[in-house]
Amino acid sequence: MDWEIVIGIETHVQLKTNSKIFSGASTRFGEEPNANACLVSLAYPGVLPVLNEEAVNCAIKFGLAVDAKITEHSIFARKNYFYPDLPKGYQISQLDLPVVGEGSLVITVSDESKSIRILRAHLEEDAGKSVHGIEEGKSGIDLNRAGTPLLEIVTEPDMSSAEEAVTYAKKLHELVQWIGICDGNMQEGNFRCDVNVSVKKKGDKELGTRREIKNLNSFKFIKQAVDYEVNWQIEKLEDGGKIKQATILFDPDSGETREMRSKEEANDYRYFPDPDLLPLVISQEKINNIKSKMYELPSEMKARLVKEYDLTNYDADGITSNIDVANYFKELLSFKVNAKLASNWVLTNIFSRLNESDIDIKSSPLKANKLAELILRIEDKTISNNAAKKVFDAIWDQDKSVDDVIEHLGLKQISNENEIVDILNQVLQDNEAMVEEYKSGKDKAFNALIGQVMKASKGKANPGQVSQLLKEKLKN
Amino acid sequence: MSEKLEGILGLIDQMTEVNTDSIEPMAHALDITQPLREDKVTEVDMREKSLKLSNETDQSLFIVPRVIE
Amino acid sequence: MQNLTLKELSEGLKQKKFSSLELTKFFLNRLDLHNSSINAFITIDKDKSLAMAKRADEIIKEGNQDYLTGIPIAQKDIFCAEGWKTTCGSKMLDNFIAPYDSTVISKFNAAGAVNLGKTNMDEFAMGSSNETSYYGNVKNPWDIKTVPGGSSGGSAAAVAGMLAPAATATDTGGSIRQPASLCGLTGLKPTYGLVSRYGMIAFASSLDQAGPMCHTAEDCAAMMNVMSGHDPKDSTSIEREKENYLTGINNSIKGLKIGVPKEFFSEGLDSEVEKIIEQGINEYKKLGAEIVEISLPNNHLSIPVYYVIAPAEASSNLSRYDGVRYGYRTKEYDDLMDMYCKTREEGFGDEVKRRIMIGTYVLSAGYYDAYYLKAQKIRRLISEDFKKAFEKCDVILGPSAPSVAFPIGDKKEDPLKMYMQDVYTISTNLAGLPGLSMPGGLMNNLPVGIQLIGNYFSEAKLLNIAHIFQTNTNWHNLTPEEFK
């Protein structure tokens, strides 16, 4: 039986604002329980919501980043249900007329591009937290998080594997940080995914019944949960069973998914427009204003790198994979280095060192300005590429200047033509056999001769020049 | 109670007498739009007041019977 | 002193005829003597009131006196007042000491007024007779066997019984105008959005409005000057240039076009009440107004529409009362669900529970379109009716209530009969228009109110029209014998 996997993802992104979405309470993480719970957060009788401008701006930025339509008149609705971490007994969210409409996000899986359609994104408030284990049979409610602004981003069921799901999640995670609307700190719950999984027989037009895995807050868990769930569903169906729509949780300890107890079972949320809030109007002027202040998007920068600097798609992807790498690269370019060289050095040498030390590029001990110096020395032929690697190793985490290291290690390249010709002549004299071999058609001998020249010059001769001069010499 | 409820539902059913197919629903009396608030922190820690108002608290948490997920 | 209007009290304080402390002590004394017979107040706090009076006297001494500085005002127990028990007439909030001031209370505080105490009301503002309060029925000072109207029954009884010179009240379907009518007072429900709802315990958010309950239109204008104004804490609060409601109050009303809706004079209106309203119309004719017949064809649908929209919004607004963070919590429970159910079963009265159930029903999947959405559509039709009417007239006149005060217990067991009390007032709330009720006569020694409905933001004109009526008639000066 050939099964196809169908995955859609709903991501709750906690927006980077100072205050909550409907009140002036702080959103700062890590405070003592209920220190950030204000009158509105606590849902006292008589309190009212007022919308945070910055939350709206974040939504607009996201819409622009995924090429989506920004809704001119969007409406807030109440989602009614009882739960202790939901102080009002309803969550203010958006149902019909969300602030962001249809858009898309392109992911690359195994070198192929795939466009994941975004159905919508809407603003809503986060709930509080229940803390267990204080007393037997009791839970403690902390409302610090209640009212934090969220942007819920919903895709169409366009992903067909766990790999695609993780790739999308990672790409989205980078994007929301890139445009500055989210800190992306998954341990703090900034970025949570609900993954909808269903399977269908290959060729079937109708989708299978889906189950929703809630609150996955790591990419590893997304992969594990999806893998487990897909197997579970396929096994069940192959056994002749049926999949019932359900909301499920992933248990990282066991690696399994299980149904949640009752909370969201067939709940009728009795959505209706919130009468305490008015229609949110976003003018084209406002959208243009926000767009003008935004940095170029990863897709825009990638296109520019390919067009203006002739980078490969692959390399441009790597440079624009996250905003810190992009900024590092931009800084490099500001020193007028060759873009292709720069991208190689970042994507190979810098990245491998970062991986080794398990740090990100922001923590790189070798800053962009120094790397730029090194690259410039390659470009002005002071040192060869090979020599540069040695310099790199020396300056990676040492506070030494590039020129000092070149001097100290004696790596200056010999580029003086006369000097090279002298060495060349000596080598040709000393290696008559090799010269004969080359002249009799053995091309390998050419490289061997170059090797000899490099050896004689102790690696300092400019290989490009050597090759050129040797070719000329051997013509005779 | 249920008798009285049924009576009220009967009252509400009077709405069917008028055709509203082409009418826009009216959520608010006036044609105004949502004002926006500057993203500033204006509220302070009010646990001294809020915890006192609750029936049961412990270490600045509001205590309820165990929440099962 | 109980017979003085706010205007006279303000003058008296300015001329040092008496101090705020004396004035406040006087009214607190009257409360001691008379409140138990009408049960108009839920909370009286002498210490707090007297402290405010003392501060007011200091302000007056410094020469910084405002119109209402030093005057004791009764506050409907729906307004959160910091440090004051604020119950909304419900067991659910019997132990709730408000941790903050509503904007309305803040404004009175800033004006230097004195909080005389929290008045009784129908539970969560749901009622038309003040018979659903956890704190017992309020009695009409005109005849203590009858109701004062509701939901602002306590505020109306307090002012009618001369226990307070004025009071604040709220109106969602008629809860200022109907009690004003039944108690012989002048009450105003402003245009929706003119008075901030921040801190005013919510019943039906798109309909609730706070307003003054006084003896005269002039006093209502003075109260409006304090109560109204944009509030950034209330998203539905209107931002517009501040008006002084006293400025044009004496303007001539010659040539005023008064619209009389034929639907307000059909069956259901007591014939004696009708006569009194017609007397009022004649009075206006004498004053130079022109009477125009108008029609509000969808008015009869305002009751079913209201009893869909208001309970729907209320059912959601009242979800926060779960015993978790404040308010009543049941004593014994097995688990979370048990706690929720028992707390709300025990904490809410029958009428509130009824409306929560209706509200939940009309919002539920499968019924939303037929009920809630349909009601919102008819709401627009009702609003359009008014728009058309105001093309023909400047103001609409009619009865405030279909009858005078009725005996306690008369309608309590029949919610539908009770709901009909609001048949002339509800449409105004649905459209968000301003409406006023003023005394127009007596029937069997019980007051009858005349209602005036104006176009959006025409409060000043309404108060002016009412004031001119009151300078030429005496109904508003009558007081019940026992409370003179």
Side-chain angles (χ1 to χ4, degrees), chain C residues 314-325:
Chain C
S315 70
S316 180
N317 284 332
L318 267 58
S319 293
R320 66 192 61 197
Y321 304 112
D322 54 16
V324 174
R325 303 163 308 290

Side-chain angles (χ1 to χ4, degrees), chain A residues 42-43 45-46 49 78 80 87 268, chain C residues 100 197 199 235 316-317 325-326 365:
Chain A
L42 291 158
R78 292 189 185 178
N80 296 280
D268 177 8
Chain C
Y100 73 108
R197 290 185 303 113
S235 294
S316 180
N317 284 332
R325 303 163 308 290
Y326 56 83

